[in-house]
Amino acid sequence: MKNTAAKGTQDILPEISSAWEHIEDKFREICQLYGYEEIRTPTFEHTEVFARGVGETSDVVQKEMYTFEDKGNRSITLRPEGTAGIVRSFIENGMNSLAFPVRLFYEITAFRYENVQKGRYREFHQLGVEAFGAEGPFIDAEMLAMLQHFFKALGLKQINLEINSLGTPESRAVYRETLLGYLRPHKNELCEDCQARMEENPLRVLDCKNDHCHEITKSAPLILDYLDEESEAHFNKLQELLDNLGVEYKVNPKIVRGLDYYSKTVFEFISENVGTQGTICGGGRYDGLIKLMGGQDTPGIGFALGEERLLLELEAQGVLRNDRPVADVFIASLDDEALEAAQKLSQELRYLGIRAQYELTGRSLKAQMKYAGKQGAKNLIVLGGDELSEGKAAVRSLVEKDKAEHEFDLDHVEVLADYLKN
Ligand code: ATP
Ligand code: MG
């Protein structure tokens, strides 16, 4: 038996889970400020959903999916990302008839069979949004401003936003041919992956992390020179709106996001701290996707953000917040009778919103007090003796050492609770 976590998976232990919670709470809070509501779709889907929704030529579909046959002979895949399942759900649940834009956010685990390294795992966490039914560049700008808001709320000082436009399918088709014309003479110099995917998805070569491929694409034709009028207007307006909203960005014509269905705006937030896995968040407009998956032609735009990479970035910038909850009070007990009273008092205090702990393992009084201190409990009550018989208990602060003890009447727990809250 293998007693280790499967390769590429990680335990998130209590010692760090508060940092995760903080990020997720903030994300939810910011999403709601912008009118997004949560959607939860299944962890697995029919393989078809991702094959179509993520794109047959993508690395994700070709190499990275966890696909298996279930006992009913269906081909099932663990979700490698969020968008495809959400689009499936959007269509299936007739969300087309809702008032546009339909704004959805999600917090999920995703699964990809990857080369495991720092910032790249086989089970990982994504935060993301999708907005359906808004065509113009305003929502694109708002989404980027929202991400900036989120990063600021987490305390990040610096994170680079790079944007690009992939144009419409028509303008992209022209660019694709031009790019192929440029790449073909260099084919033998490209990495194996790029050689294999060049003909079906030449734009992907621009995105390759291999140094040599990078060198070759340096002088490749740029997609921005091939935009049609509509896409160019959209992209120009987006930049104007970003300036207006005070969102800093850089235009990078090499950002392609690899997937066939992206159109017009694409973007990435890139960090210098997460090693070669520098993309913390990627997204863009996917106006053709819903139709491609069998729905009515509806524009869409979204992003997905890797939580593990965000955590690494927060850590690198020294702003990772990991406030573990500590007890407001620890109730020590002198004997069995006191222990019963401690349990009851804890219960009453918890109902009043106080984080109360008491002794459960039979420690000596001295050990109880040491334990309370080690746990970081803010206050200490020792129950027992004459005091308890009189229905009284004294609170001592473990944080402010010279604060005087306060005595309370156990018949008025709400007074004690009020005191502990402050
Ligand atoms: P990369 O180029 O790094 O492989 P990607 O283009 O495959 O990224 P997306 O599919 O756009 O990534 O996913 C959005 C985000 O999810 C990424 O920017 C990244 O932060 C995160 N992510 C993707 N794959 C992984 C992974 N295997 N482990 C951890 N985070 C990941
Ligand atoms: Mg990838």
Side-chain angles (χ1 to χ4, degrees):
M1 182 177 143
K2 278 192 176 164
N3 265 327
T4 53
K7 187 170 178 186
T9 67
Q10 302 184 88
D11 299 311
I12 297 170
L13 300 175
E15 64 199 37
I16 189 69
S17 59
S18 295
W20 287 76
E21 262 174 47
H22 176 64
I23 291 172
E24 288 158 11
D25 289 351
K26 267 282 167 263
F27 186 68
R28 176 180 302 272
E29 188 186 312
I30 300 278
C31 282
Q32 288 171 351
L33 282 176
Y34 289 76
Y36 287 85
E37 290 182 289
E38 186 173 10
I39 183 165
R40 300 187 187 201
T41 61
T43 309
F44 57 85
E45 300 268 355
H46 294 294
T47 300
E48 173 73 16
V49 170
F50 301 117
R52 274 235 222 153
V54 180
E56 298 277 5
T57 65
S58 65
D59 279 357
V60 171
V61 171
Q62 289 190 346
K63 297 192 288 206
E64 300 171 359
M65 294 207 302
Y66 277 93
T67 299
F68 60 96
E69 205 166 278
D70 73 4
K71 293 190 200 311
N73 302 321
R74 301 171 195 88
S75 180
I76 294 292
T77 295
L78 300 184
R79 66 175 164 222
E81 52 102 62
T83 306
I86 292 175
V87 170
R88 194 265 314 133
S89 172
F90 180 89
I91 298 168
E92 188 174 342
N93 293 292
M95 289 192 227
N96 230 68
S97 62
L98 301 176
F100 283 171
V102 176
R103 297 175 186 263
L104 306 169
F105 80 88
Y106 60 85
E107 302 189 342
I108 62 170
T109 48
F111 307 86
R112 297 185 192 178
Y113 195 78
E114 299 240 37
N115 276 328
V116 177
Q117 47 199 295
K118 188 180 175 191
R120 190 176 294 286
Y121 312 98
R122 291 185 175 169
E123 181 187 31
F124 59 100
H125 296 72
Q126 285 190 333
L127 308 174
V129 312
E130 319 290 352
F132 299 104
E135 211 165 5
F138 279 82
I139 191 122
D140 307 23
E142 184 198 85
M143 200 170 272
L144 293 168
M146 168 175 150
L147 275 162
Q148 174 172 282
H149 191 165
F150 174 56
F151 292 136
K152 273 195 182 160
L154 289 176
L156 282 182
K157 291 156 206 147
Q158 168 65 27
I159 185 153
N160 300 318
L161 166 61
E162 300 192 349
I163 62 172
N164 188 24
S165 175
L166 296 183
T168 56
E170 296 76 38
S171 69
R172 192 156 68 253
V174 177
Y175 173 69
R176 187 183 184 280
E177 287 315 308
T178 315
L179 181 62
L180 263 178
Y182 171 85
L183 290 175
R184 277 195 191 112
H186 297 286
K187 185 165 180 181
N188 294 333
E189 304 158 56
L190 296 173
C191 75
E192 248 174 66
D193 274 353
C194 283
Q195 290 195 26
R197 67 189 166 204
M198 191 182 99
E199 292 293 332
E200 36 179 23
N201 196 347
L203 270 70
R204 201 70 176 93
V205 179
L206 299 175
D207 199 27
C208 184
K209 292 177 179 94
N210 180 294
D211 285 343
H212 211 69
C213 298
H214 198 75
E215 201 52 45
I216 289 164
T217 55
K218 260 190 182 160
S219 23
L222 300 177
I223 194 159
L224 290 176
D225 294 328
Y226 291 79
L227 294 186
D228 54 20
E229 227 172 282
E230 180 198 338
S231 307
E232 196 174 303
H234 188 106
F235 195 48
N236 289 340
K237 186 70 188 174
L238 170 63
Q239 292 175 60
E240 203 184 301
L241 295 171
L242 290 175
D243 293 338
N244 192 38
L245 291 169
V247 177
E248 275 181 41
Y249 60 90
K250 196 177 103 191
V251 173
N252 176 358
K254 298 277 170 63
I255 301 259
V256 295
R257 311 272 335 120
L259 308 181
D260 301 342
Y261 58 73
Y262 276 111
S263 54
K264 295 182 183 151
T265 311
V266 287
F267 55 84
E268 288 185 4
F269 281 85
I270 299 165
S271 128
E272 282 143 27
N273 293 312
V274 194
T276 50
Q277 324 307 330
T279 304
I280 291 184
C281 173
R285 182 165 275 285
Y286 46 77
D287 291 344
L289 181 60
I290 299 186
K291 192 164 172 212
L292 180 85
M293 290 188 71
Q296 282 176 35
D297 207 358
T298 313
I301 178 167
F303 65 76
L305 188 154
E307 227 178 321
E308 283 81 358
R309 292 187 197 175
L310 176 60
L311 237 100
L312 289 169
E313 182 64 19
L314 290 167
E315 210 172 6
Q317 294 198 21
V319 292
L320 186 71
R321 254 184 69 179
N322 186 22
D323 311 325
R324 300 177 71 178
V326 293
D328 296 310
V329 63
F330 184 87
I331 304 167
S333 41
L334 291 176
D335 51 35
D336 283 353
E337 196 189 325
L339 174 57
E340 269 181 45
Q343 182 174 58
K344 184 149 175 268
L345 178 57
S346 294
Q347 192 63 7
E348 288 168 348
L349 286 171
R350 289 164 178 168
Y351 263 88
L352 295 167
I354 299 298
R355 291 175 179 149
Q357 289 297 325
Y358 60 99
E359 177 53 27
L360 278 165
T361 65
R363 289 181 181 86
S364 68
L365 180 62
K366 200 174 150 204
Q368 291 182 51
M369 290 168 63
K370 201 170 150 198
Y371 172 76
K374 242 169 95 181
Q375 294 296 106
K378 293 182 199 154
N379 295 284
L380 177 74
I381 292 175
V382 181
L383 281 188
D386 291 345
E387 211 183 17
L388 181 59
S389 330
E390 288 164 24
K392 295 205 179 335
V395 181
R396 184 195 318 165
S397 172
L398 292 176
V399 188
E400 297 165 67
K401 298 283 181 207
D402 13 310
K403 195 169 166 187
E405 273 199 9
H406 260 263
E407 195 165 80
F408 289 90
D409 197 335
L410 292 176
D411 285 337
H412 295 284
V413 182
E414 62 291 346
V415 180
L416 171 59
D418 275 347
Y419 176 82
L420 290 171
K421 262 180 203 155
N422 298 313

